Coordinates of all heavy atoms in Angstrom, one line a residue:
E248 N -11.6 47.4 161.5 CA -12.9 47.6 160.8 C -14.0 47.4 161.8 O -14.0 46.6 162.6 CB -13.0 46.5 159.7 CG -14.3 46.6 158.9 CD -14.4 45.7 157.7 OE1 -13.3 45.6 157.0 OE2 -15.4 45.1 157.4
H249 N -15.1 48.2 161.6 CA -16.2 48.2 162.5 C -17.4 47.7 161.7 O -17.6 47.9 160.5 CB -16.6 49.6 163.0 CG -15.5 50.1 163.9 ND1 -15.2 49.7 165.1 CD2 -14.6 51.1 163.6 CE1 -14.2 50.3 165.7 NE2 -13.8 51.2 164.8
A250 N -18.3 47.0 162.4 CA -19.5 46.5 161.8 C -20.4 47.7 161.3 O -21.0 47.6 160.3 CB -20.3 45.7 162.8
M251 N -20.3 48.8 162.0 CA -21.2 49.9 161.7 C -20.3 51.0 161.0 O -19.2 51.3 161.5 CB -21.8 50.5 162.9 CG -22.8 51.6 162.7 SD -23.5 52.2 164.2 CE -22.1 52.4 165.2
T252 N -20.8 51.5 159.9 CA -20.1 52.6 159.3 C -21.0 53.8 159.3 O -22.2 53.7 159.3 CB -19.7 52.3 157.8 OG1 -20.9 52.0 157.1 CG2 -18.8 51.1 157.7
I253 N -20.4 55.0 159.3 CA -21.1 56.2 159.4 C -20.5 57.2 158.3 O -19.3 57.2 158.2 CB -21.1 56.9 160.8 CG1 -21.6 58.3 160.9 CG2 -19.7 56.9 161.3 CD1 -23.1 58.3 161.1
A254 N -21.3 57.9 157.6 CA -20.9 58.7 156.5 C -20.1 59.9 157.0 O -20.5 60.5 158.0 CB -22.0 59.2 155.7
R255 N -19.0 60.2 156.3 CA -18.3 61.4 156.6 C -19.0 62.6 155.9 O -19.6 62.4 154.9 CB -16.9 61.2 155.9 CG -15.9 62.2 156.3 CD -14.5 61.7 155.9 NE -13.6 62.8 155.6 CZ -12.3 62.6 155.4 NH1 -11.8 61.4 155.3 NH2 -11.5 63.7 155.2
L256 N -19.0 63.7 156.6 CA -19.6 64.9 156.0 C -18.9 65.3 154.7 O -17.7 65.2 154.6 CB -19.6 66.1 157.0 CG -20.3 65.9 158.3 CD1 -20.2 67.2 159.1 CD2 -21.8 65.5 158.1
T257 N -19.7 65.8 153.8 CA -19.1 66.4 152.6 C -18.5 67.8 153.1 O -18.8 68.3 154.1 CB -20.1 66.7 151.5 OG1 -21.1 67.7 152.0 CG2 -20.9 65.4 151.1
D258 N -17.7 68.4 152.2 CA -17.1 69.7 152.5 C -18.2 70.7 152.8 O -18.1 71.5 153.7 CB -16.2 70.1 151.4 CG -14.9 69.4 151.4 OD1 -14.7 68.5 152.2 OD2 -14.0 69.6 150.5
A259 N -19.2 70.7 151.9 CA -20.3 71.6 152.1 C -21.1 71.4 153.4 O -21.4 72.4 154.1 CB -21.3 71.5 150.9
E260 N -21.3 70.2 153.7 CA -22.0 69.8 155.0 C -21.1 70.3 156.2 O -21.6 70.8 157.2 CB -22.2 68.3 155.1 CG -23.4 67.9 154.2 CD -23.5 66.4 154.1 OE1 -22.4 65.7 154.4 OE2 -24.5 65.9 153.7
R261 N -19.8 70.1 156.1 CA -18.9 70.5 157.2 C -18.9 72.0 157.3 O -19.0 72.5 158.4 CB -17.5 70.0 156.8 CG -16.4 70.3 157.8 CD -15.1 70.2 157.2 NE -14.9 71.3 156.2 CZ -14.0 71.2 155.3 NH1 -13.2 70.2 155.2 NH2 -13.9 72.2 154.4
D262 N -18.9 72.7 156.2 CA -18.9 74.2 156.3 C -20.2 74.7 156.9 O -20.2 75.6 157.7 CB -18.6 74.8 154.9 CG -17.2 74.5 154.4 OD1 -16.4 74.0 155.2 OD2 -17.0 74.7 153.2
A263 N -21.3 74.1 156.5 CA -22.6 74.5 157.0 C -22.7 74.2 158.5 O -23.2 75.1 159.3 CB -23.7 73.8 156.3
A264 N -22.2 73.1 158.9 CA -22.2 72.7 160.3 C -21.4 73.7 161.2 O -21.8 74.2 162.2 CB -21.7 71.3 160.5
L265 N -20.2 74.0 160.7 CA -19.3 75.0 161.4 C -19.9 76.3 161.5 O -19.8 77.0 162.6 CB -17.9 75.0 160.7 CG -16.9 74.0 161.2 CD1 -15.7 74.0 160.2 CD2 -16.4 74.4 162.6
A266 N -20.6 76.8 160.4 CA -21.2 78.1 160.5 C -22.3 78.1 161.5 O -22.6 79.2 162.0 CB -21.8 78.4 159.1
S267 N -22.9 77.0 161.8 CA -24.0 76.9 162.8 C -23.5 76.6 164.2 O -24.3 76.5 165.1 CB -25.0 75.9 162.4 OG -24.5 74.6 162.6
L268 N -22.2 76.5 164.4 CA -21.6 76.2 165.7 C -20.5 77.2 166.1 O -19.3 77.0 166.1 CB -20.9 74.8 165.6 CG -21.8 73.6 165.5 CD1 -21.0 72.3 165.2 CD2 -22.6 73.4 166.8
P269 N -21.0 78.4 166.5 CA -20.1 79.4 166.9 C -19.3 78.9 168.1 O -19.8 78.3 169.0 CB -21.0 80.6 167.3 CG -22.3 80.1 167.5 CD -22.4 78.9 166.6
G270 N -18.0 79.2 168.1 CA -17.1 78.8 169.2 C -16.3 77.5 168.8 O -15.3 77.3 169.4
W271 N -16.8 76.8 167.9 CA -16.1 75.6 167.4 C -15.2 75.9 166.2 O -15.7 76.7 165.3 CB -17.1 74.5 167.0 CG -17.8 74.0 168.2 CD1 -19.0 74.5 168.8 CD2 -17.5 72.8 169.0 NE1 -19.4 73.7 169.9 CE2 -18.5 72.7 170.0 CE3 -16.5 71.9 168.9 CZ2 -18.4 71.7 171.0 CZ3 -16.4 70.8 169.9 CH2 -17.4 70.8 170.9
T272 N -14.1 75.3 166.1 CA -13.2 75.6 165.0 C -12.8 74.2 164.4 O -12.9 73.2 165.0 CB -11.9 76.3 165.4 OG1 -11.2 75.5 166.4 CG2 -12.2 77.7 166.0
L273 N -12.5 74.3 163.1 CA -12.0 73.1 162.4 C -10.6 72.9 162.7 O -9.7 73.8 162.7 CB -12.2 73.3 160.9 CG -12.1 72.1 160.0 CD1 -13.1 71.1 160.3 CD2 -12.1 72.5 158.6
R274 N -10.2 71.6 163.1 CA -8.8 71.3 163.3 C -8.1 71.5 162.0 O -8.6 71.3 161.0 CB -8.7 69.9 163.9 CG -7.4 69.6 164.6 CD -7.4 68.3 165.3 NE -7.5 67.2 164.3 CZ -7.7 65.9 164.7 NH1 -7.8 65.6 166.0 NH2 -7.7 64.9 163.8
E275 N -6.8 71.7 162.1 CA -6.0 72.1 160.9 C -6.1 71.0 159.9 O -6.0 71.3 158.7 CB -4.5 72.3 161.3 CG -4.3 73.6 162.0 CD -2.8 74.0 162.0 OE1 -2.0 73.5 161.2 OE2 -2.5 74.9 162.8
D276 N -6.2 69.7 160.3 CA -6.3 68.7 159.3 C -7.7 68.5 158.7 O -7.9 67.6 157.8 CB -5.7 67.3 159.9 CG -6.6 66.8 161.0 OD1 -7.6 67.4 161.3 OD2 -6.2 65.8 161.6
G277 N -8.6 69.3 159.2 CA -10.0 69.2 158.7 C -10.8 68.0 159.1 O -11.9 67.8 158.7
L278 N -10.2 67.2 160.0 CA -10.9 65.9 160.4 C -11.6 66.0 161.7 O -12.2 65.0 162.2 CB -9.8 64.8 160.4 CG -9.1 64.6 159.1 CD1 -8.1 63.4 159.3 CD2 -10.1 64.2 158.0
A279 N -11.6 67.1 162.4 CA -12.2 67.2 163.7 C -12.6 68.7 164.0 O -12.1 69.6 163.3 CB -11.2 66.8 164.8
I280 N -13.5 68.8 164.9 CA -13.8 70.2 165.4 C -13.4 70.3 166.9 O -13.4 69.3 167.6 CB -15.3 70.5 165.2 CG1 -16.2 69.5 165.8 CG2 -15.6 70.7 163.8 CD1 -17.7 69.8 165.8
C281 N -13.1 71.5 167.3 CA -12.5 71.8 168.6 C -13.2 73.0 169.3 O -13.5 73.9 168.6 CB -11.0 72.0 168.5 SG -10.1 70.8 167.5
R282 N -13.3 72.9 170.6 CA -13.7 74.0 171.3 C -13.2 73.9 172.8 O -13.1 72.8 173.3 CB -15.3 74.1 171.4 CG -15.7 75.3 172.2 CD -17.2 75.6 172.1 NE -17.5 76.8 172.9 CZ -18.7 77.3 173.1 NH1 -19.7 76.8 172.6 NH2 -18.8 78.4 173.9
T283 N -12.8 75.1 173.3 CA -12.4 75.1 174.7 C -13.5 75.8 175.5 O -14.0 76.9 175.2 CB -11.1 75.9 174.9 OG1 -10.1 75.3 174.2 CG2 -10.7 76.1 176.4
F284 N -14.0 75.0 176.5 CA -15.0 75.5 177.5 C -14.3 76.0 178.8 O -13.5 75.3 179.3 CB -16.0 74.4 177.8 CG -16.9 74.0 176.6 CD1 -16.5 72.9 175.8 CD2 -18.1 74.6 176.3 CE1 -17.2 72.5 174.8 CE2 -18.9 74.2 175.3 CZ -18.4 73.1 174.5
R285 N -14.8 77.1 179.3 CA -14.3 77.6 180.6 C -15.4 77.7 181.6 O -16.5 78.2 181.2 CB -13.5 78.9 180.4 CG -12.1 78.7 179.8 CD -11.3 79.9 179.8 NE -10.0 79.7 179.1 CZ -9.9 79.6 177.8 NH1 -10.9 79.7 177.0 NH2 -8.7 79.4 177.3
F286 N -15.2 77.3 182.8 CA -16.2 77.3 183.9 C -15.7 78.1 185.1 O -14.5 78.6 185.1 CB -16.6 75.9 184.2 CG -17.1 75.1 183.1 CD1 -16.3 74.4 182.2 CD2 -18.5 75.1 182.8 CE1 -16.8 73.7 181.1 CE2 -19.0 74.4 181.7 CZ -18.2 73.7 180.9
A287 N -16.6 78.3 186.0 CA -16.2 79.1 187.2 C -15.1 78.3 188.0 O -14.2 79.0 188.6 CB -17.4 79.3 188.1
D288 N -15.2 77.0 188.0 CA -14.2 76.3 188.9 C -14.2 74.8 188.4 O -14.9 74.4 187.5 CB -14.6 76.4 190.3 CG -16.0 76.0 190.6 OD1 -16.6 75.2 189.8 OD2 -16.6 76.5 191.6
F289 N -13.5 74.0 189.1 CA -13.4 72.6 188.7 C -14.7 71.8 188.9 O -15.1 71.0 188.0 CB -12.3 71.9 189.6 CG -12.2 70.4 189.3 CD1 -11.6 69.9 188.1 CD2 -12.8 69.5 190.2 CE1 -11.5 68.6 187.9 CE2 -12.7 68.1 189.9 CZ -12.1 67.7 188.8
A290 N -15.4 72.2 189.9 CA -16.7 71.5 190.2 C -17.7 71.7 189.0 O -18.3 70.8 188.5 CB -17.4 72.0 191.5
Q291 N -17.7 72.9 188.5 CA -18.6 73.2 187.3 C -18.1 72.5 186.0 O -18.9 72.0 185.3 CB -18.6 74.7 187.1 CG -19.4 75.5 188.2 CD -20.8 75.1 188.3 OE1 -21.5 75.1 187.3 NE2 -21.3 74.8 189.5
A292 N -16.8 72.5 185.9 CA -16.2 71.8 184.7 C -16.5 70.3 184.7 O -16.9 69.7 183.7 CB -14.7 72.1 184.6
F293 N -16.3 69.8 185.9 CA -16.5 68.3 186.0 C -18.0 67.9 185.9 O -18.3 66.9 185.4 CB -15.8 67.7 187.2 CG -15.5 66.3 187.1 CD1 -14.4 65.8 186.4 CD2 -16.4 65.3 187.7 CE1 -14.2 64.5 186.2 CE2 -16.2 64.0 187.5 CZ -15.1 63.5 186.8
A294 N -18.8 68.8 186.4 CA -20.3 68.6 186.3 C -20.7 68.5 184.8 O -21.4 67.7 184.4 CB -21.1 69.6 187.0
F295 N -20.1 69.5 184.1 CA -20.3 69.5 182.6 C -19.8 68.2 182.0 O -20.6 67.5 181.2 CB -19.6 70.7 182.0 CG -19.4 70.7 180.5 CD1 -20.5 71.0 179.7 CD2 -18.2 70.3 180.0 CE1 -20.3 71.0 178.3 CE2 -18.0 70.3 178.6 CZ -19.1 70.7 177.7
M296 N -18.7 67.8 182.3 CA -18.1 66.5 181.8 C -19.0 65.3 182.1 O -19.1 64.4 181.3 CB -16.7 66.3 182.3 CG -15.7 67.4 181.7 SD -14.0 67.3 182.4 CE -13.4 66.0 181.4
T297 N -19.5 65.3 183.3 CA -20.4 64.2 183.7 C -21.6 64.2 182.9 O -22.1 63.1 182.4 CB -20.7 64.4 185.2 OG1 -19.5 64.4 186.0 CG2 -21.6 63.2 185.7
R298 N -22.3 65.3 182.7 CA -23.5 65.4 181.8 C -23.1 64.9 180.4 O -23.9 64.1 179.8 CB -24.1 66.8 181.8 CG -24.6 67.2 183.1 CD -25.2 68.6 183.1 NE -25.6 69.0 184.4 CZ -25.0 70.0 185.1 NH1 -24.1 70.8 184.5 NH2 -25.4 70.3 186.3
V299 N -22.0 65.4 179.9 CA -21.6 65.0 178.5 C -21.4 63.5 178.4 O -21.8 62.8 177.5 CB -20.4 65.8 178.1 CG1 -19.9 65.3 176.7 CG2 -20.8 67.3 177.9
A300 N -20.7 63.0 179.5 CA -20.3 61.6 179.5 C -21.6 60.7 179.4 O -21.6 59.7 178.7 CB -19.5 61.3 180.7
I301 N -22.6 61.1 180.0 CA -23.9 60.3 180.0 C -24.5 60.2 178.6 O -24.8 59.2 178.1 CB -24.8 60.8 181.1 CG1 -24.3 60.5 182.5 CG2 -26.2 60.2 180.9 CD1 -24.9 61.2 183.6
V302 N -24.6 61.4 178.0 CA -25.2 61.4 176.6 C -24.2 60.7 175.6 O -24.6 60.1 174.6 CB -25.6 62.8 176.2 CG1 -26.7 63.4 177.1 CG2 -24.5 63.7 175.9
A303 N -22.9 60.9 175.8 CA -21.9 60.3 174.9 C -22.0 58.8 175.0 O -22.0 58.1 173.9 CB -20.5 60.8 175.3
E304 N -22.1 58.3 176.2 CA -22.2 56.8 176.3 C -23.5 56.3 175.7 O -23.5 55.3 175.0 CB -22.0 56.5 177.8 CG -22.1 55.0 178.1 CD -20.9 54.2 177.5 OE1 -20.0 54.9 176.9 OE2 -20.9 53.0 177.6
K305 N -24.6 57.0 175.9 CA -25.9 56.6 175.4 C -25.8 56.6 173.9 O -26.4 55.7 173.2 CB -26.9 57.6 175.9 CG -28.4 57.1 175.7 CD -29.4 58.0 176.3 CE -29.4 57.9 177.9 NZ -30.5 58.6 178.5
A306 N -25.1 57.5 173.3 CA -25.0 57.6 171.8 C -23.9 56.8 171.2 O -23.7 56.7 170.0 CB -24.8 59.1 171.4
D307 N -23.1 56.2 172.1 CA -21.9 55.5 171.7 C -21.0 56.4 170.8 O -20.5 56.0 169.8 CB -22.2 54.2 171.0 CG -21.0 53.3 170.9 OD1 -20.1 53.3 171.7 OD2 -21.0 52.5 169.9
H308 N -20.9 57.6 171.2 CA -20.0 58.6 170.5 C -19.3 59.4 171.5 O -19.9 60.2 172.3 CB -20.9 59.4 169.6 CG -20.0 60.2 168.6 ND1 -19.3 59.5 167.6 CD2 -19.7 61.5 168.4 CE1 -18.6 60.4 166.9 NE2 -18.9 61.6 167.4
H309 N -18.0 59.3 171.6 CA -17.2 59.8 172.7 C -16.3 60.9 172.4 O -15.6 60.9 171.3 CB -16.5 58.6 173.3 CG -17.4 57.5 173.7 ND1 -17.6 56.4 172.9 CD2 -18.0 57.2 174.8 CE1 -18.5 55.6 173.5 NE2 -18.7 56.1 174.7
P310 N -16.2 61.9 173.2 CA -15.3 63.0 173.0 C -13.8 62.7 173.3 O -13.6 61.8 174.1 CB -15.8 64.1 173.9 CG -16.4 63.4 175.1 CD -17.0 62.1 174.5
E311 N -12.9 63.4 172.7 CA -11.6 63.5 173.1 C -11.5 64.8 173.9 O -11.9 65.8 173.4 CB -10.6 63.5 172.0 CG -10.7 62.3 171.1 CD -9.8 62.4 169.8 OE1 -8.8 63.1 169.8 OE2 -10.1 61.6 168.9
W312 N -11.0 64.8 175.1 CA -11.0 66.0 175.9 C -9.9 66.0 176.9 O -9.3 65.0 177.3 CB -12.4 66.3 176.5 CG -13.0 65.2 177.3 CD1 -12.4 64.0 177.8 CD2 -14.4 65.2 177.8 NE1 -13.4 63.3 178.5 CE2 -14.5 64.0 178.5 CE3 -15.5 66.0 177.6 CZ2 -15.8 63.6 179.1 CZ3 -16.7 65.7 178.2 CH2 -16.8 64.5 178.9
F313 N -9.6 67.2 177.4 CA -8.5 67.5 178.3 C -9.0 68.5 179.3 O -9.4 69.6 178.9 CB -7.3 68.0 177.5 CG -6.1 68.3 178.3 CD1 -5.2 67.3 178.7 CD2 -5.8 69.6 178.6 CE1 -4.1 67.6 179.5 CE2 -4.7 69.9 179.4 CZ -3.8 68.9 179.9
N314 N -8.9 68.2 180.5 CA -9.4 69.1 181.6 C -8.2 69.5 182.5 O -7.4 68.7 183.0 CB -10.4 68.4 182.4 CG -10.7 69.0 183.7 OD1 -10.5 68.4 184.8 ND2 -11.2 70.3 183.7
V315 N -8.1 70.8 182.7 CA -7.3 71.4 183.8 C -8.1 72.4 184.5 O -8.6 73.4 184.0 CB -6.0 72.1 183.2 CG1 -5.3 72.7 184.4 CG2 -5.1 71.1 182.5
Y316 N -8.4 72.1 185.8 CA -9.2 72.9 186.7 C -10.5 73.3 186.1 O -11.4 72.5 186.0 CB -8.4 74.2 187.1 CG -9.1 75.0 188.1 CD1 -9.7 74.5 189.3 CD2 -9.2 76.4 187.9 CE1 -10.4 75.3 190.2 CE2 -9.9 77.2 188.8 CZ -10.5 76.6 190.0 OH -11.2 77.4 190.8
N317 N -10.7 74.6 185.6 CA -12.0 75.0 185.1 C -12.1 75.0 183.6 O -13.0 75.5 183.0 CB -12.2 76.5 185.6 CG -11.3 77.5 185.0 OD1 -10.2 77.1 184.6 ND2 -11.6 78.7 185.0
R318 N -11.1 74.4 182.9 CA -11.0 74.4 181.5 C -11.2 73.0 180.9 O -10.6 72.1 181.4 CB -9.7 75.0 181.0 CG -9.5 75.3 179.6 CD -8.2 76.0 179.3 NE -7.1 75.1 179.1 CZ -6.0 75.0 179.9 NH1 -5.8 75.8 180.9 NH2 -5.1 74.1 179.6
V319 N -12.0 72.9 179.9 CA -12.2 71.6 179.2 C -12.0 71.8 177.7 O -12.7 72.6 177.0 CB -13.6 71.0 179.4 CG1 -13.7 69.6 178.7 CG2 -13.9 70.9 180.9
E320 N -10.9 71.3 177.2 CA -10.6 71.4 175.7 C -11.2 70.1 175.1 O -10.8 69.0 175.4 CB -9.1 71.4 175.5 CG -8.4 72.7 176.2 CD -6.9 72.6 176.0 OE1 -6.4 71.8 175.3 OE2 -6.3 73.5 176.7
V321 N -12.0 70.3 174.1 CA -12.7 69.2 173.5 C -12.4 69.1 172.0 O -12.3 70.1 171.3 CB -14.3 69.5 173.6 CG1 -15.0 68.4 172.9 CG2 -14.7 69.6 175.0
T322 N -12.2 67.9 171.5 CA -12.0 67.6 170.1 C -13.0 66.5 169.8 O -13.1 65.5 170.5 CB -10.6 67.0 169.8 OG1 -9.6 68.1 170.2 CG2 -10.4 66.6 168.4
L323 N -13.8 66.8 168.7 CA -14.8 65.8 168.3 C -14.4 65.3 166.9 O -14.2 66.1 166.0 CB -16.2 66.4 168.3 CG -16.7 66.9 169.6 CD1 -18.1 67.5 169.5 CD2 -16.7 65.8 170.7
T324 N -14.4 64.0 166.7 CA -14.2 63.4 165.4 C -14.8 62.0 165.4 O -15.1 61.5 166.5 CB -12.7 63.3 165.1 OG1 -12.5 62.8 163.7 CG2 -12.0 62.3 166.0
T325 N -15.0 61.5 164.3 CA -15.7 60.1 164.2 C -14.6 59.2 163.7 O -14.3 59.2 162.5 CB -16.9 60.2 163.3 OG1 -17.8 61.1 163.9 CG2 -17.6 58.8 163.3
H326 N -14.1 58.4 164.5 CA -13.0 57.5 164.1 C -13.5 56.5 163.0 O -12.8 56.2 162.1 CB -12.5 56.7 165.3 CG -12.1 57.6 166.5 ND1 -12.9 57.7 167.6 CD2 -11.1 58.5 166.6 CE1 -12.3 58.6 168.4 NE2 -11.3 59.1 167.8
D327 N -14.8 56.1 163.2 CA -15.4 55.2 162.2 C -15.6 55.8 160.8 O -15.8 55.1 159.9 CB -16.7 54.6 162.7 CG -16.6 53.8 164.0 OD1 -15.5 53.3 164.2 OD2 -17.6 53.6 164.7
A328 N -15.5 57.1 160.7 CA -15.7 57.8 159.4 C -14.3 58.4 159.0 O -14.3 59.0 157.9 CB -16.7 58.9 159.5
D329 N -13.3 58.3 159.8 CA -12.0 58.9 159.5 C -12.2 60.4 159.2 O -11.6 61.0 158.3 CB -11.3 58.3 158.3 CG -10.9 56.8 158.6 OD1 -10.4 56.6 159.7 OD2 -11.1 56.0 157.7
G330 N -13.0 61.0 160.0 CA -13.3 62.5 159.9 C -14.6 62.8 160.6 O -15.0 62.2 161.6
L331 N -15.2 63.9 160.1 CA -16.4 64.4 160.8 C -17.6 63.8 160.2 O -17.8 63.5 159.0 CB -16.5 65.9 160.5 CG -15.5 66.8 161.3 CD1 -15.5 68.2 160.7 CD2 -15.9 66.8 162.8
S332 N -18.5 63.5 161.2 CA -19.9 63.0 160.8 C -20.9 63.8 161.5 O -20.6 64.6 162.4 CB -20.0 61.5 161.2 OG -20.2 61.4 162.6
K333 N -22.2 63.5 161.2 CA -23.3 64.2 161.9 C -23.3 64.0 163.4 O -23.8 64.8 164.2 CB -24.6 63.9 161.3 CG -25.0 62.4 161.4 CD -26.4 62.1 160.9 CE -26.5 62.4 159.4 NZ -27.8 61.9 158.8
R334 N -22.6 62.9 163.8 CA -22.6 62.6 165.3 C -21.7 63.6 166.0 O -22.0 64.0 167.2 CB -22.0 61.2 165.5 CG -22.9 60.1 165.1 CD -22.4 58.7 165.3 NE -23.2 57.8 164.6 CZ -22.9 56.5 164.4 NH1 -21.7 56.0 164.9 NH2 -23.7 55.7 163.7
D335 N -20.7 64.1 165.4 CA -19.9 65.2 166.0 C -20.7 66.5 166.1 O -20.6 67.2 167.2 CB -18.6 65.4 165.2 CG -17.8 64.1 165.0 OD1 -17.5 63.5 166.1 OD2 -17.6 63.7 163.9
V336 N -21.4 66.8 165.1 CA -22.3 68.0 165.1 C -23.3 67.9 166.2 O -23.5 68.8 167.0 CB -22.9 68.2 163.8 CG1 -23.8 69.5 163.8 CG2 -21.9 68.3 162.7
A337 N -23.9 66.7 166.3 CA -25.0 66.5 167.4 C -24.4 66.6 168.8 O -25.0 67.2 169.7 CB -25.6 65.1 167.2
L338 N -23.2 66.0 169.0 CA -22.6 66.0 170.3 C -22.1 67.5 170.6 O -22.3 67.9 171.8 CB -21.4 65.1 170.4 CG -20.7 64.9 171.7 CD1 -21.7 64.6 172.9 CD2 -19.6 63.9 171.7
A339 N -21.6 68.2 169.6 CA -21.2 69.6 169.9 C -22.4 70.4 170.3 O -22.3 71.2 171.3 CB -20.6 70.2 168.6
R340 N -23.6 70.2 169.7 CA -24.8 71.0 170.1 C -25.2 70.6 171.5 O -25.6 71.5 172.3 CB -25.9 70.7 169.1 CG -25.7 71.2 167.7 CD -27.0 71.3 167.0 NE -26.8 71.4 165.5 CZ -26.2 72.4 164.9 NH1 -25.7 73.4 165.6 NH2 -26.0 72.3 163.6
E341 N -25.1 69.3 171.9 CA -25.5 68.9 173.2 C -24.5 69.6 174.2 O -24.9 70.0 175.3 CB -25.5 67.4 173.4 CG -26.5 66.8 172.5 CD -26.9 65.4 173.0 OE1 -27.8 65.3 173.8 OE2 -26.3 64.4 172.4
M342 N -23.2 69.6 173.9 CA -22.2 70.2 174.8 C -22.5 71.7 175.0 O -22.5 72.2 176.1 CB -20.8 70.0 174.2 CG -20.3 68.6 174.4 SD -18.6 68.5 173.7 CE -18.0 67.2 174.7
D343 N -22.8 72.3 173.9 CA -23.1 73.8 174.0 C -24.3 74.0 174.9 O -24.4 75.0 175.6 CB -23.4 74.3 172.6 CG -22.1 74.5 171.7 OD1 -21.0 74.3 172.3 OD2 -22.3 74.8 170.5
G344 N -25.3 73.1 174.8 CA -26.5 73.2 175.6 C -26.2 73.0 177.1 O -26.9 73.6 178.0
F345 N -25.2 72.2 177.4 CA -24.9 71.9 178.8 C -24.0 73.0 179.4 O -23.9 73.2 180.6 CB -24.1 70.6 179.0 CG -25.0 69.4 178.8 CD1 -24.5 68.3 178.1 CD2 -26.3 69.3 179.3 CE1 -25.3 67.1 177.9 CE2 -27.1 68.2 179.1 CZ -26.6 67.1 178.4
A346 N -23.2 73.7 178.5 CA -22.2 74.7 179.0 C -22.9 76.0 179.5 O -24.0 76.3 179.2 CB -21.2 75.0 177.9
Ligands
H2B24 N1 -16.6 57.7 169.3 C1 -16.2 58.5 168.4 N2 -15.9 59.8 168.6 N3 -16.0 58.0 167.1 C2 -16.2 56.8 166.8 O1 -16.1 56.4 165.7 C3 -16.7 55.9 167.8 C4 -16.8 56.4 169.1 N4 -17.0 54.6 167.6 N5 -17.2 55.6 170.1 C5 -17.6 53.8 168.5 C6 -17.3 54.2 170.0 C7 -17.1 52.4 168.2 O2 -15.8 52.2 168.4 C8 -17.8 51.3 169.1 C9 -17.3 49.9 168.7 O3 -19.2 51.4 168.9

């Protein structure tokens, strides 16, 4: 249990968010959104991850991700909400802005 709780998106909020986030898909269980980013090389991929890490830490909202060379596979979910929250949508937009 966490001291802070965050509301889970309603189905309608989730659908609207996804419609506004081209490139992101809903995970099969409906509890997360996913996107694969591709860069020119590892340096570009890791620079992206570094920028994301700084805003993620500042927001106390952290991605699940997997990097191989120029590819970064990202999953966003809010553990404290047992699903998607507005924090995932906000972080997805920031990631899109950095990519
Ligand atoms: N990141 C994500 N993605 N979801 C969370 O629910 C979450 C987090 N909770 N980062 C934060 C940390 C929480 O565990 C701490 C205690 O604030």
Side-chain angles (χ1 to χ4, degrees):
E248 179 171 322
H249 296 288
M251 183 177 51
T252 60
I253 172 88
R255 192 165 153 172
L256 296 184
T257 65
D258 287 0
E260 287 169 338
R261 182 199 65 201
D262 292 348
L265 270 167
S267 74
L268 289 169
W271 293 83
T272 58
L273 192 63
R274 199 171 67 187
E275 284 196 21
D276 64 6
L278 301 179
I280 52 174
C281 309
R282 178 169 184 184
T283 297
F284 294 91
R285 285 187 183 75
F286 299 89
D288 53 27
F289 177 76
Q291 293 295 310
F293 201 81
F295 166 78
M296 295 175 79
T297 302
R298 292 183 187 112
V299 172
I301 290 165
V302 300
E304 181 65 5
K305 195 174 284 188
D307 194 28
H308 194 66
H309 303 91
E311 299 175 21
W312 52 13
F313 179 80
N314 163 241
V315 176
Y316 184 51
N317 65 338
R318 190 173 85 241
V319 182
E320 299 175 11
V321 176
T322 298
L323 300 181
T324 188
T325 301
H326 308 107
D327 296 337
D329 292 319
L331 286 168
S332 76
K333 60 175 62 170
R334 291 180 192 171
D335 302 305
V336 179
L338 185 54
R340 292 200 201 292
E341 295 201 87
M342 286 183 151
D343 287 349
F345 288 141

